[in-house]
């Protein structure tokens, strides 16, 4: 074996399947208008749903904290990286979620790996929605527990699997809002199934926090689910909160278990304290953000109404994630490129991020957008010629 010839072959295969990934160079803050590779676009693919990533109050909090605490946290939480600001944020997140405690992680991916692996192992079983986020699927596989996927949002399918299981510990895991589809998990009925089977429930609400619920408390606030029903509640800070990092909220016992046993918590450097400070500022805006959520809801309605009039294949989503189903990766790429030529930036999401033959344009809306900008997106979509591609083929 010499060099990386084999790898080159695999890369070429990926390219000819229209699945090759390329990174684009962002040269502006997140916002309705973004500068990408030197050109200004109207952007519809950020997860900054409330438009907080570039908010002056977050920036001010970040700067103040950097003046006081410097930049790097310098160590993991268990050595000496756990600053007062991290601690304050944990307390604020616990209060916000109505859980006794919350624990900060450096990323959502790590929070998921950490929580699942601290909770289950050999002799246990994990039950996951088949469309769960990659980090949850990876976490389940890595745990060594018996790993089962149930059909998307299908309570019956979960029930059958739970009934057949004789595992010691059972953990049911679902996205709250599905990241590539935008639909909500039927949490009340999933929790009921889990309860009858004596299983724990973990919800990853990366896309619900900030957007759903009266105070932005996400799916559990939306459905009114207690800690008893959803004992493991995960949220990320890099989406609607506009900063970076993640957290798990739950009981005293859960959080102490994670501090002792969650390796992605223990063996990594704490996020910069200034990020925690910015998140405290963001949390306040989220809680008082009813107007932002109402604006977002109005934009979602406007987009859906307009897209339906254009005959676009929308998904069953009431959230800021409004994917347009395309199917073939090549066609999705072609439409994305045409939008780009018209000054609109929407990335095509292709397998393996989504199941085979379900490539889509993942449109995301933000409270920062205007109605006019949503109309501009619709006009640009209407002008794309690549929509015709599928009809002439099938
Ligand atoms: C983004 C996302 C994550 C990962 O969070 P990061 O903080 O970006 O690592 C986990 N779960 C879901 C559902 C997500 O959408």
């Amino acid at each position: 074996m010499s060099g990386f010839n084999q790898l080159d072959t695999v890369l070429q295969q990926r390219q000819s399947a229209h699945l090759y990934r390329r990174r684009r160079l962002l040269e502006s803050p997140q916002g309705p208008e973004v500068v990408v590779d030197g050109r200004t676009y109207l952007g519809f693919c950020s997860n900054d749903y409330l438009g907080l990533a570039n908010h002056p109050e977050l920036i001010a909090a970040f700067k103040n904290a950097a003046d006081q605490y410097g930049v790097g946290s310098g160590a993991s939480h268990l050595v000496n990286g756990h600053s007062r600001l991290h601690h304050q944020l944990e307390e604020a997140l616990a209060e916000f979620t109505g859980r006794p405690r919350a624990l900060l992680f450096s990323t959502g991916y790590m929070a998921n790996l950490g929580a699942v692996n601290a909770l289950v192992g050999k002799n246990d079983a994990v039950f996951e929605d088949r469309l769960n986020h990659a980090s949850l699927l990876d976490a389940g596989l890595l745990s060594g527990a018996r790993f089962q996927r149930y059909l998307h949002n299908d309570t019956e399918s979960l029930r059958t699997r739970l009934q057949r299981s004789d595992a010691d510990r059972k953990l049911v895991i679902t996205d709250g809002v599905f990241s590539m589809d935008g639909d909500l998990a039927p949490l009340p009925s999933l929790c009921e199934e889990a309860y009858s089977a004596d299983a724990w429930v973990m919800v990853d609400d990366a896309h619900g926090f900030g957007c759903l619920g009266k105070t932005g408390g996400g799916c559990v606030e939306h459905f009114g689910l207690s800690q008893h029903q959803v004992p493991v509640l995960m949220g990320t800070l890099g989406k609607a909160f506009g900063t970076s990092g993640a957290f798990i909220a739950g009981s005293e016992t859960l959080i102490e278990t994670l501090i002792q046993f969650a390796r992605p918590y223990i063996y990594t450097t704490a996020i910069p304290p200034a990020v925690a400070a910015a998140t405290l500022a963001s949390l306040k805006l989220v809680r008082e953000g009813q107007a932002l959520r109402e604006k977002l809801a109005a934009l979602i309605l406007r987009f859906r109404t307009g897209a339906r009039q254009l005959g676009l294949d929308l998904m069953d989503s009431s959230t800021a994630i409004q994917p347009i189903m395309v199917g073939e990766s090549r066609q999705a790429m072609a439409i994305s490129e045409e939008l780009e030529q018209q000054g609109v930036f929407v990335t095509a999401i292709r397998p393996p991020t989504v199941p085979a033959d379900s490539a889509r344009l993942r449109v995301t809306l933000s409270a920062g957008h205007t109605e006019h900008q949503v109309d501009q997106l619709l006009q640009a979509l209407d002008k794309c010629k690549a929509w015709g591609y599928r009809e002439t083929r099938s």
Side-chain angles (χ1 to χ4, degrees):
M1 230 175 88
S2 73
F4 285 133
N5 293 349
Q6 281 184 328
L7 299 186
D8 282 330
T9 310
V10 175
L11 289 175
Q12 273 150 23
Q13 282 166 352
R14 183 166 256 230
Q15 209 150 358
S16 35
H18 305 281
L19 296 178
Y20 207 81
R21 268 74 168 156
R22 280 191 181 76
R23 299 169 308 163
R24 307 293 303 270
L25 206 62
L26 180 71
E27 296 167 304
S28 67
Q30 289 293 353
E33 287 190 343
V34 283
V35 180
V36 180
D37 291 328
R39 191 179 158 189
T40 304
Y41 294 92
L42 200 47
F44 289 95
C45 44
S46 164
N47 299 315
D48 179 27
Y49 302 121
L50 298 180
L52 298 181
N54 190 36
H55 194 285
E57 287 181 33
L58 272 68
I59 298 169
F62 187 92
K63 284 181 177 167
N64 280 339
D67 284 340
Q68 243 190 310
Y69 283 82
V71 177
S73 70
S76 67
H77 285 275
L78 294 187
V79 177
N80 77 342
H82 185 65
S83 72
R84 175 171 296 284
L85 291 170
H86 293 115
H87 202 72
Q88 270 175 11
L89 177 58
E90 289 184 346
E91 286 173 349
L93 287 167
E95 206 239 282
F96 173 59
T97 54
R99 270 49 179 173
R101 286 190 66 185
L103 188 71
L104 275 180
F105 283 77
S106 296
T107 74
Y109 194 110
M110 292 169 73
N112 284 338
L113 282 193
V116 175
N117 283 276
L119 293 174
V120 291
K122 268 196 314 233
N123 306 325
D124 303 327
V126 164
F127 304 83
E128 298 208 28
D129 188 290
R130 64 183 288 274
L131 297 188
N132 272 357
H133 189 262
S135 58
L136 291 172
L137 300 172
D138 291 355
L141 288 166
L142 193 70
S143 71
R146 174 125 197 264
F147 180 75
Q148 303 189 55
R149 294 196 205 195
Y150 58 88
L151 298 176
H152 178 52
N153 278 350
D154 188 328
T155 309
E156 291 274 319
S157 167
L158 171 63
R159 179 188 307 149
T160 319
R161 283 164 178 75
L162 281 170
Q163 280 171 349
R164 279 204 299 257
S165 172
D166 57 0
D168 287 350
R169 299 177 186 175
K170 291 173 243 172
L171 178 62
V172 174
I173 312 177
T174 183
D175 279 22
V177 174
F178 285 85
S179 56
M180 297 300 139
D181 294 56
D183 55 341
L184 266 67
L187 290 181
S189 61
L190 290 176
C191 291
E192 223 167 279
E193 286 308 328
Y195 181 80
S196 353
D198 206 16
W200 297 325
V201 174
M202 171 171 174
V203 173
D204 171 342
D205 206 15
H207 301 276
F209 275 113
C211 299
L212 298 176
K214 202 161 170 286
T215 68
C219 287
V220 295
E221 186 180 24
H222 174 80
F223 287 116
L225 296 168
S226 67
Q227 178 195 317
H228 191 62
Q229 289 158 302
V230 179
V232 189
L233 179 58
M234 179 273 196
T236 65
L237 304 175
K239 285 156 187 161
F241 284 100
T243 62
S244 185
F247 65 91
I248 303 267
S251 70
E252 183 72 28
T253 306
L254 171 72
I255 299 305
E256 284 302 316
T257 300
L258 297 182
I259 294 173
Q260 305 308 317
F261 299 109
R263 294 167 63 88
Y265 177 77
I266 301 166
Y267 297 107
T268 205
T269 301
I271 55 172
V275 172
T279 311
L280 279 162
S282 151
L283 183 56
K284 185 167 168 284
L285 296 171
V286 163
R287 297 183 82 156
E288 299 165 354
Q290 193 54 25
L292 293 175
R293 284 181 281 278
E294 277 165 19
K295 174 152 185 236
L296 186 57
L299 294 174
I300 293 166
L301 184 64
R302 190 175 187 91
F303 174 75
R304 285 185 71 83
T305 309
R308 272 206 213 91
Q309 280 164 3
L310 298 178
L312 299 176
D313 191 359
L314 290 180
M315 302 187 70
D316 182 22
S317 164
S318 57
T319 67
I321 304 169
Q322 288 294 330
I324 306 171
M325 184 54 85
V326 178
E328 284 184 34
S329 296
R330 187 177 167 184
Q331 189 185 9
M333 291 295 285
I335 297 165
S336 171
E337 277 159 28
E338 277 188 273
L339 288 174
E340 216 178 296
Q341 284 156 16
Q342 302 180 68
V344 174
F345 199 70
V346 181
T347 41
I349 304 286
R350 295 160 288 164
T353 306
V354 291
D357 303 315
S358 72
R360 65 201 67 177
L361 295 165
R362 181 175 179 271
V363 169
T364 53
L365 299 168
S366 155
H369 286 122
T370 62
E371 294 193 339
H372 178 62
Q373 287 169 330
V374 170
D375 294 345
Q376 284 177 291
L377 167 64
L378 290 164
Q379 278 157 21
L381 282 164
D382 193 30
K383 283 197 191 131
C384 291
K385 298 202 171 58
W387 292 114
Y389 173 79
R390 179 175 37 178
E391 282 145 41
T392 56
R393 284 185 46 112
S394 58

